[in-house]
Amino acid sequence: MCRVVDLQQAVLAKNDACAHTLREDLAARGTAVVNLLSSPGSGKTALLERELTLARSRGIPVAALTADLATENDAVRLARSGVPVKQVLTDGLCHLEAEMLGGHLHGWLPADTRLLFIENVGNLVCPASYDLGETLRIVLASVTEGEDKPLKYPTAFGLAHLVVVTKTDIAEAVSFDEAEFRANVERINPGVEVVLTSARRGEGDGVLVDRALAARDGAPVHIPVMTRKSHHVHDAEDGQPHNESHTHDKGHTHDESHTHDREHAHAPRAHDGGHAHTTDPDTVASSRS
């Protein structure tokens, strides 16, 4: 047991170091990174496609990288926006990591990119533990998932800079209790903003782009209580200051109900096998014709 925990902590520490370097490099070139986390089927891809299309129409240099265990379906959809899109296939890995992300961005990300959206693997457990050097971490939950989702996945929601509710056009049909959901989010992450969206109706259009641009331009970003507690713990342990924008809580392990880590401890050797595919509208159009 101790060896597994030690290995996990070593992997997370290595990831944090890579994330710190990646964050500095991207900030130096003027690129803000948005890490999107959600369960499968939350409507993340549909919302992101609208946001990318909107950003392009406003003349904002934007790009997107999407990660999945298999298929290029999401990249095909996002490429319809007309912006640079790259698909990463993780070969079964349940999350992205900073070193893996940096490798895929090298030589691909356009130099003038102001906003980079990362559509993480659909999973509210594993991705929550890995800082990607992001400027903003946004967690999405659809109205169909239940009001108690923040309580079931406290790490994901507890480290979010923004919480987005999707598919509000069907909220009444599924008896979604907005007040209860907000109260549960507040219990886990006091003070974090919760916004409502509907990709079908256009509700909340531009919220991801606007928040990302504001953060890029120096607007204050919500600092989760969980992050602050993590900083206090590690300051006492190593005497070193920690970046306030850092979103990963080194001290926590995955949610107790999740046993996946104990089986493989996310060993770094498995992370280098992720395949990447760059998708552009012309390529997509020809492949679908």
Side-chain angles (χ1 to χ4, degrees):
M1 177 65 71
C2 292
R3 291 181 180 178
V4 172
V5 172
D6 290 344
L7 175 58
Q8 181 183 355
Q9 291 178 343
V11 170
L12 294 177
K14 177 184 178 182
N15 182 81
D16 286 347
C18 291
H20 178 74
T21 299
L22 186 59
R23 179 179 289 110
E24 289 188 334
D25 291 346
L26 289 169
R29 59 185 285 173
T31 302
V33 180
V34 180
N35 184 9
L36 300 175
L37 282 70
S38 79
S39 300
S42 68
K44 180 167 72 267
T45 306
L47 179 61
L48 180 55
E49 183 184 350
R50 289 187 67 96
E51 293 291 309
L52 296 176
T53 302
L54 176 63
R56 184 170 182 259
S57 71
R58 290 166 55 180
I60 301 169
V62 61
L65 182 147
T66 181
D68 275 304
L69 277 66
T71 82
E72 297 183 30
N73 294 349
D74 287 352
V76 170
R77 292 174 60 186
L78 296 179
R80 296 185 303 206
S81 66
V83 310
V85 173
K86 189 172 190 177
Q87 176 76 58
V88 174
L89 300 180
T90 64
D91 289 334
L93 193 65
C94 60
H95 62 278
L96 286 174
E97 297 187 5
E99 184 177 21
M100 183 181 186
L101 174 62
H104 289 305
L105 296 182
H106 182 70
W108 168 74
L109 188 66
D112 65 342
T113 303
R114 293 177 63 192
L115 301 180
L116 171 63
F117 287 93
I118 307 297
E119 185 180 17
N120 218 316
V121 179
N123 182 345
L124 283 177
V125 183
C126 304
S129 296
Y130 289 84
D131 181 10
L132 298 181
E134 63 259 27
T135 310
L136 286 178
R137 175 176 290 204
I138 300 179
V139 175
L140 301 88
S142 73
V143 298
T144 61
E145 296 178 65
E147 296 81 2
D148 62 348
K149 187 68 71 174
L151 305 181
K152 289 184 175 181
Y153 300 96
T155 300
F157 284 88
L159 291 173
H161 297 121
L162 176 69
V163 174
V164 174
V165 179
T166 62
K167 303 184 181 182
T168 57
D169 53 291
I170 61 172
E172 184 176 355
V174 298
S175 301
F176 176 69
D177 189 331
E178 180 187 339
E180 183 180 348
F181 180 85
R182 288 181 179 274
N184 289 335
V185 170
E186 184 67 15
R187 286 177 60 185
I188 299 299
N189 191 346
V192 70
E193 182 183 11
V194 177
V195 297
L196 307 181
T197 66
S198 168
R200 179 175 296 178
R201 292 182 179 174
E203 180 181 4
D205 270 3
V207 64
L208 303 186
V209 171
D210 290 342
R211 297 298 190 279
L213 285 175
R216 176 188 178 276
D217 294 337
V221 174
H222 170 72
I223 301 176
V225 171
M226 187 179 292
T227 305
R228 293 197 294 267
K229 289 180 179 179
S230 174
H231 291 161
H232 296 327
V233 169
H234 291 291
D235 288 347
E237 289 177 351
D238 57 30
Q240 308 230 348
H242 291 263
N243 188 339
E244 286 292 338
S245 64
H246 178 56
T247 59
H248 167 60
D249 178 3
K250 292 183 186 177
H252 83 82
T253 56
H254 288 315
D255 299 273
E256 292 180 2
S257 61
H258 183 59
T259 59
H260 181 57
D261 287 349
R262 297 187 181 183
E263 295 174 1
H264 63 59
H266 302 295
R269 63 181 179 79
H271 302 161
D272 298 331
H275 304 300
H277 303 273
T278 301
T279 308
D280 60 63
D282 293 334
T283 301
V284 172
S286 63
S287 67
R288 298 176 66 193
S289 60

